[in-house]
């Protein structure tokens, strides 16, 4: 089978425009759809431009639109992505408890009680990183030469918050922390079970979103009870601009987004908790068996100013890329249609 030079150039341009616009995975799929449509049309064509070819081009457009819709919407809101990541960590904690019969310790230790690895490392087998966990030397501290080569700079893809921070987080930076205290669910010994949460799992926070602390996910450093109370009762009143990413355009939103914090509860729920006015109420939410009564209204999202759209950023490169790809996809049909006899 032979190809003309123009055909090879067309294929190269089609692949380049598809992958440059949609990325390797979606781009290859779209090019495959285009080539399959033309192969079917050529096999069934009796001569000239047939209805099959018209149907093929129509199918290309339909599939293109169908594949683009998830791509356009995949970014999601910052709040939605933050909730998804907090849910992933919270469910991994509960999977550990269901398997081991107890909640994970705040960190693993050697024979002399010195910290080795964070609970986040211990949870790798309960996420999508079981292969990484098998390579980690759990009998050595995270800072050993072997473990440093594996862990330092390693981005789990779900360790840090998508919310805007004062500085760009490091790839391996953690944003989801446990509350470590003898009265909390996470302790240094890791002997707490679900039945030990007598305040009710639905009233007990086990995970708090707290980005920008400069702690790597594998480090055995988390929040003390007092630090967690300070976070839940802190005053975050500065207004800031936030970019909600989109495929063809991103939206710039301005508001009091720092008035909520994503937290995970021992029953698996993840909520956005606003700034709490009462420190004792915050402490009641963080301890497992204090016997305190929790006000349900304390768990409601508090926003001083609702976010508002203040602008858009048009991604002209994506728009032009789609235009070029669509033009290349239908170019053979248009050329054949207007070719002189």
């Amino acid at each position: 089978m032979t190809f003309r030079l123009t055909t090879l150039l067309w294929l190269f341009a089609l692949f380049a425009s598809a992958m440059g616009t949609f990325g390797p995975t979606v781009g290859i799929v779209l090019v495959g759809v285009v080539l399959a449509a033309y192969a079917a049309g050529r096999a069934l064509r009796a001569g000239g431009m047939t209805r099959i070819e018209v149907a093929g081009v129509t199918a290309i457009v339909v599939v293109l639109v169908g594949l683009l819709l998830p791509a356009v919407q995949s970014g999601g809101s910052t709040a939605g992505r933050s909730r998804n990541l907090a849910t992933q960590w919270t469910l991994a904690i509960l999977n550990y408890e269901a398997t081991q019969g107890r909640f994970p310790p705040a960190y693993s230790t050697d024979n002399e009680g010195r910290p080795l690895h964070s609970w986040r490392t211990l949870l790798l087998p309960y996420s999508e990183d079981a292969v990484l966990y098998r390579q980690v030397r759990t009998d050595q501290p995270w800072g050993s030469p072997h473990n440093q080569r594996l862990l330092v700079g390693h981005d789990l893809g779900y360790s840090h918050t998508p919310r805007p921070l004062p500085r760009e987080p490091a790839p391996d930076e953690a944003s989801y922390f446990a509350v470590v205290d003898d009265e909390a669910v996470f302790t240094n010994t890791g002997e707490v079970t679900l039945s030990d949460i007598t305040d009710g799992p639905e009233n007990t926070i086990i995970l708090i979103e707290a980005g920008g602390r400069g702690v790597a996910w594998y480090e055995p450093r988390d929040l003390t009870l007092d630090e967690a109370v300070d976070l839940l009762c802190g005053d975050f009143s500065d207004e800031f601009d936030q970019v909600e990413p989109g495929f063809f355009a991103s939206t710039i939103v301005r508001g009091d987004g720092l008035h909520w914090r994503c937290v995970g509860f021992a029953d698996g729920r993840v909520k956005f908790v606003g700034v709490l006015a009462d420190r004792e109420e915050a402490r009641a939410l963080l301890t497992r068996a204090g016997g305190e009564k929790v006000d349900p209204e304390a768990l409601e999202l508090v926003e001083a100013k609702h976010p508002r759209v203040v602008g858009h950023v048009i991604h002209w490169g994506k728009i032009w890329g789609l235009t070029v790809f669509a033009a290349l996809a239908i170019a053979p049909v248009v050329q054949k249609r207007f070719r002189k006899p």
Side-chain angles (χ1 to χ4, degrees):
M1 184 177 182
T2 60
F3 289 93
R4 298 181 191 175
L5 179 59
T6 54
T7 303
L8 293 175
L9 291 175
W10 173 76
L11 284 171
F12 177 80
L14 191 68
F15 269 103
S17 64
M19 289 188 284
T21 304
F22 308 107
T25 303
V26 177
I28 290 174
V29 170
L30 288 176
V31 172
V33 170
V34 172
L35 297 180
Y38 281 122
R42 183 171 183 175
L44 297 175
R45 185 175 66 245
M49 184 177 176
T50 67
R51 293 182 180 180
I52 296 295
E53 288 179 307
V54 175
V57 173
T58 304
I60 291 172
V61 175
V62 171
V63 172
L64 178 62
V65 173
L67 287 173
L68 273 178
L69 285 177
V72 173
Q73 300 171 353
S74 61
S77 66
T78 299
R81 283 178 285 140
S82 178
R83 180 195 289 272
N84 290 341
L85 296 180
T87 299
Q88 188 169 347
W89 282 112
T90 303
L91 293 181
I93 294 171
L94 294 178
N95 285 339
Y96 182 101
E97 193 281 334
T99 303
Q100 303 295 330
R102 57 187 174 84
F103 284 92
Y107 47 78
S108 60
T109 61
D110 60 15
N111 293 332
E112 298 181 6
R114 290 173 296 199
L116 294 177
H117 293 277
S118 165
W119 61 271
R120 288 174 288 267
T121 304
L122 302 181
L123 259 60
L124 291 178
Y126 301 88
S127 60
E128 300 176 356
D129 291 282
V131 174
L132 174 63
Y133 182 77
R134 288 194 291 267
Q135 300 177 52
V136 175
R137 290 291 302 271
T138 55
D139 59 333
Q140 298 178 3
W142 68 267
S144 71
H146 171 83
N147 287 331
Q148 276 197 326
R149 286 193 297 270
L150 285 173
L151 301 176
V152 174
H154 184 90
D155 187 355
L156 292 177
Y158 52 88
S159 61
H160 44 78
T161 177
R163 288 169 54 166
L165 298 173
R167 58 168 178 78
E168 184 70 20
D172 56 1
E173 191 166 324
S175 294
Y176 299 91
F177 293 86
V179 182
V180 182
D181 190 86
D182 290 340
E183 298 181 61
V185 171
F186 277 81
T187 65
N188 293 335
T189 58
E191 298 298 328
V192 176
T193 66
L194 202 59
S195 60
D196 292 328
I197 307 177
T198 57
D199 283 350
E202 71 280 2
N203 296 323
T204 306
I205 294 173
I206 60 174
L207 187 81
I208 298 181
E209 177 194 28
R213 299 181 67 83
V215 177
W217 60 263
Y218 42 79
E219 287 187 74
R221 293 168 55 193
D222 280 277
L223 300 171
T224 66
L225 187 61
D226 288 337
E227 287 174 332
V229 171
D230 289 342
L231 285 174
L232 293 179
C233 298
D235 180 19
F236 305 102
S237 57
D238 292 338
E239 223 180 35
F240 69 100
D241 288 351
Q242 173 179 304
V243 178
E244 299 291 357
F247 190 80
F248 291 117
S250 295
T251 304
I252 302 175
V253 179
R254 181 174 298 165
D256 243 350
L258 291 177
H259 270 280
W260 54 262
R261 192 175 297 281
C262 208
V263 299
F265 288 81
D267 64 348
R269 293 177 307 127
V270 171
K271 292 179 68 70
F272 295 120
V273 176
V275 177
L276 303 183
D278 189 340
R279 293 181 65 86
E280 289 306 315
E281 199 164 56
R283 185 174 291 270
L285 289 167
L286 297 168
T287 55
R288 68 179 185 272
E292 309 96 336
K293 298 296 183 182
V294 177
D295 182 3
E297 293 185 1
L299 303 182
E300 296 303 319
L301 173 62
V302 178
E303 286 186 321
K305 301 172 185 176
H306 294 286
R308 60 190 184 279
V309 176
V310 295
H312 296 86
V313 178
I314 307 298
H315 304 313
W316 290 106
K318 297 292 186 183
I319 295 175
W320 285 115
L322 173 64
T323 303
V324 170
F325 175 77
L328 288 169
I330 64 173
V333 173
V334 174
Q335 180 189 30
K336 185 182 302 180
R337 176 69 179 84
F338 290 99
R339 183 185 299 165
K340 294 182 180 179

